[in-house]
């Protein structure tokens, strides 16, 4: 249906862009770098108050425990901020999931902390697109949807997590729990391109830290008695890169370790990322990695421990997902918006949701660009534009006329 019904007109007329912009300006003024727990706590409280305007219960849920590998090879606990969850009509037979994140990539000491207008319609600032703007879209869309008669027969959960920018490791169990049994999901990452193009199929992502333990020795007197962890690390990097093919990219990102020039180093860490485009590629890498590790141990006389793995499974465009994309496209057409989608190597919480068997469109947020940089921008008219799109999608998903 490419035209709007009377009830749809009434629903969409309730979306007011002015408070949405005010929210983005206020929220982006709060630094919410993933490691800034104080800033995230302040943001969570502000968002809890804003989302209390919707029916249902707002809770701030604690993060699950997460460990990371320190430079010396020790596993250390990493603290994360609490996650906001809103549950509306939890007993409804048909329910949806809407997700976003309150964290950004800009830490408390980063110079990029304020907003500025680039022109009358373009706002530059930390997180304005990724994704304080997306959170404003969620709230406005749901407030409008709640005025639709169709809303009373369905329910939904909203999740705003605090660690998406670092892989959602501490919120992954919560995402899986909330996704279970949902009819569909919408995630509010910014559009894949400034023209509003959505992200379709996504590659997966895995992060690894490989701890290599060798044996130290004097580099001049008895180097043959040493087992050089740095050399083993270099060999490992080259062999890892050799596993790359059309179905998977491998990015060795860092080698840590070593000591004085006259000491054979006995410790190194290799950190790398993989991006499998399909589950089969991820499985093939998982099978090849232990064989490669064993070969390095034998060749260099070192011992190796692997920490990490796939945190975002590949997200194929399933028939169910294509159906949801089709609905979004049709709703866009009814609003005069041209909606297309494209595959991407980027990842987000949509990967986690799709892995639970739930169809998801994960770039329902604002139009903008240059995210993760000091040039990040929001195309301000897209706040209302995307809120109208989401409200209409929810209305039609729920059988509204």
């Amino acid at each position: 249906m490419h035209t709007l019904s009377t009830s749809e007109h009434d629903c969409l007329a309730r979306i007011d862009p002015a408070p949405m912009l005010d929210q983005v300006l206020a929220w982006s003024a709060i630094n919410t770098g993933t490691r800034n727990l104080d800033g995230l706590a302040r943001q969570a409280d502000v968002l809890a108050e804003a989302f209390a305007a919707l029916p249902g219960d707002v809770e701030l849920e604690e993060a699950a425990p997460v460990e990371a590998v320190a430079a010396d090879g020790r596993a250390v606990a990493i603290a994360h901020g609490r996650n906001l969850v809103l549950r509306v009509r939890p007993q409804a037979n048909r329910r949806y999931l809407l997700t976003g994140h309150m964290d950004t990539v800009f830490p408390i000491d980063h110079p990029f902390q304020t907003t500025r207008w680039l022109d009358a319609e373009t706002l530059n600032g930390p997180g304005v697109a990724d994704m304080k703007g997306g959170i404003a879209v969620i709230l406005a869309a749901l407030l409008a949807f709640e005025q639709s008669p169709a809303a009373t027969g369905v329910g939904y959960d909203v999740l705003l997590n605090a660690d998406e920018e670092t892989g959602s490791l501490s919120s992954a169990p919560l995402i899986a729990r909330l996704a279970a049994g949902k009819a569909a999901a919408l995630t509010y990452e910014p559009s894949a391109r400034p023209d509003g193009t959505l992200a379709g199929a996504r590659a997966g992502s895995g992060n690894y830290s490989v701890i290599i333990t060798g044996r130290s020795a004097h580099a001049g007197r008895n180097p043959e008695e040493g087992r050089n962890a740095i050399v083993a690390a270099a060999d490992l990097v080259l062999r890892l890169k050799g596993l790359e093919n059309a179905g998977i990219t491998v990015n060795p990102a860092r080698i840590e370790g070593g000591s004085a020039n006259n000491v054979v180093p006995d410790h190194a860490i290799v950190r790398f990322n993989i991006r499998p485009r399909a589950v089969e590629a991820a499985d093939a890498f998982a099978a090849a990695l232990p064989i490669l590790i064993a070969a390095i141990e034998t060749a260099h006389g070192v011992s190796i421990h692997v920490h990490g793995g796939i945190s975002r499974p590949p997200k194929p465009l399933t028939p169910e997902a294509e159906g949801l994309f089709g609905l979004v496209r049709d709703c866009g057409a009814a609003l005069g918006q041209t909606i297309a989608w494209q595959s991407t190597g980027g990842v987000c919480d949509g990967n986690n949701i799709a892995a639970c068997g739930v169809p998801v469109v994960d770039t329902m947020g604002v139009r903008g660009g240059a995210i993760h940089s000091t040039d990040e921008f929001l195309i301000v008219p897209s706040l209302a534009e995307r809120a109208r799109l989401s409200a209409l999608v929810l209305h039609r998903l729920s059988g509204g006329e």
Side-chain angles (χ1 to χ4, degrees):
M1 183 169 60
H2 297 306
T3 58
L4 297 176
S5 67
T6 300
S7 62
E8 289 171 343
H9 272 292
D10 292 343
C11 172
L12 300 180
R14 299 176 182 275
I15 293 173
D16 182 358
M20 300 177 71
L21 176 58
D22 290 341
Q23 288 163 350
V24 173
L25 291 170
W27 296 344
S28 63
I30 303 172
N31 178 275
T32 54
T34 311
R35 302 292 178 232
N36 181 8
L37 301 186
D38 290 340
L40 286 166
R42 181 182 169 199
Q43 180 76 91
D45 288 340
V46 169
L47 292 175
E49 181 178 356
F51 277 80
L54 291 162
D57 298 318
V58 177
E59 298 179 2
L60 295 177
E61 300 209 10
E62 296 295 334
V66 172
E67 287 187 339
V69 175
D72 62 3
R74 293 179 301 113
V76 296
I78 302 295
H80 290 87
R82 292 186 296 172
N83 306 295
L84 183 149
V85 178
L86 167 69
R87 295 177 174 87
V88 174
R89 293 181 288 274
Q91 302 308 316
N93 291 329
R94 184 174 178 84
R95 306 191 72 242
Y96 311 118
L97 175 63
L98 292 83
T99 71
H101 61 88
M102 65 182 85
D103 64 322
T104 72
V105 300
F106 305 105
I108 187 66
D109 58 351
H110 195 284
F112 189 45
Q113 301 288 346
T114 58
T115 57
R116 65 189 179 102
W117 288 93
L118 301 181
D119 58 45
E121 294 189 342
T122 312
L123 181 67
N124 164 245
V128 291
D130 187 24
M131 62 176 302
K132 307 296 175 77
I135 297 173
V137 170
I138 295 173
L139 180 57
L142 288 175
L143 288 170
F145 174 61
E146 282 296 331
Q147 304 306 311
S148 164
T152 59
V154 300
Y156 52 86
D157 293 336
V158 176
L159 167 64
L160 304 177
N161 61 356
D163 68 333
E164 192 278 339
E165 295 293 7
T166 53
S168 301
L169 298 179
S170 72
S171 60
L174 179 58
I175 294 171
R177 189 163 73 247
L178 293 176
K182 295 297 191 295
L186 302 173
T187 294
Y188 286 79
E189 294 293 334
S191 59
R193 296 192 342 210
D195 66 1
T197 298
L198 307 175
R202 288 184 181 271
S205 179
N207 291 303
Y208 296 79
S209 296
V210 180
I211 305 160
I212 303 172
T213 302
R215 183 190 307 150
S216 62
H218 193 288
R221 290 188 176 187
N222 59 333
E224 71 283 353
E225 294 181 12
R227 298 294 179 267
N228 194 311
I230 293 291
V231 172
D235 191 9
L236 174 62
V237 163
L238 293 175
R239 297 196 196 199
L240 283 169
K241 197 64 177 174
L243 296 178
E244 191 170 82
N245 57 55
I248 188 170
T249 58
V250 181
N251 182 50
R254 185 187 306 171
I255 296 179
E256 302 171 41
S259 56
N261 281 359
N262 62 349
V263 176
V264 175
D266 64 352
H267 169 73
I269 299 176
V270 174
R271 303 187 192 269
F272 69 95
N273 171 264
I274 66 170
R275 299 284 172 131
R277 292 178 175 82
V279 172
E280 293 78 11
D283 291 344
F285 181 87
L289 183 60
I291 298 171
L292 187 155
I293 294 295
I296 295 292
E297 289 179 318
T298 300
H300 297 276
V302 299
S303 61
I304 294 178
H305 172 71
V306 178
H307 183 279
I310 295 284
S311 56
R312 306 277 203 195
K315 189 194 99 176
L317 199 57
T318 64
E320 294 78 11
E322 287 185 335
L324 184 57
F325 273 92
L327 175 62
V328 173
R329 179 197 58 215
D330 291 346
C331 288
L335 295 168
Q337 303 174 21
T338 300
I339 303 293
W341 53 89
Q342 65 182 36
S343 298
T344 176
V347 296
C348 72
D349 289 338
N351 291 69
N352 301 58
I353 295 167
C356 298
V358 178
V360 55
V361 177
D362 56 30
T363 37
M364 293 292 290
V366 296
R367 292 189 294 116
I371 63 172
H372 296 189
S373 81
T374 57
D375 294 323
E376 178 175 349
F377 67 91
L378 158 68
I379 300 171
V380 173
S382 71
L383 287 166
E385 169 192 305
R386 298 295 251 198
R388 287 166 59 84
L389 177 64
S390 281
L392 186 57
V393 168
L394 289 168
H395 178 85
R396 292 187 177 181
L397 270 174
S398 306
E401 298 179 355

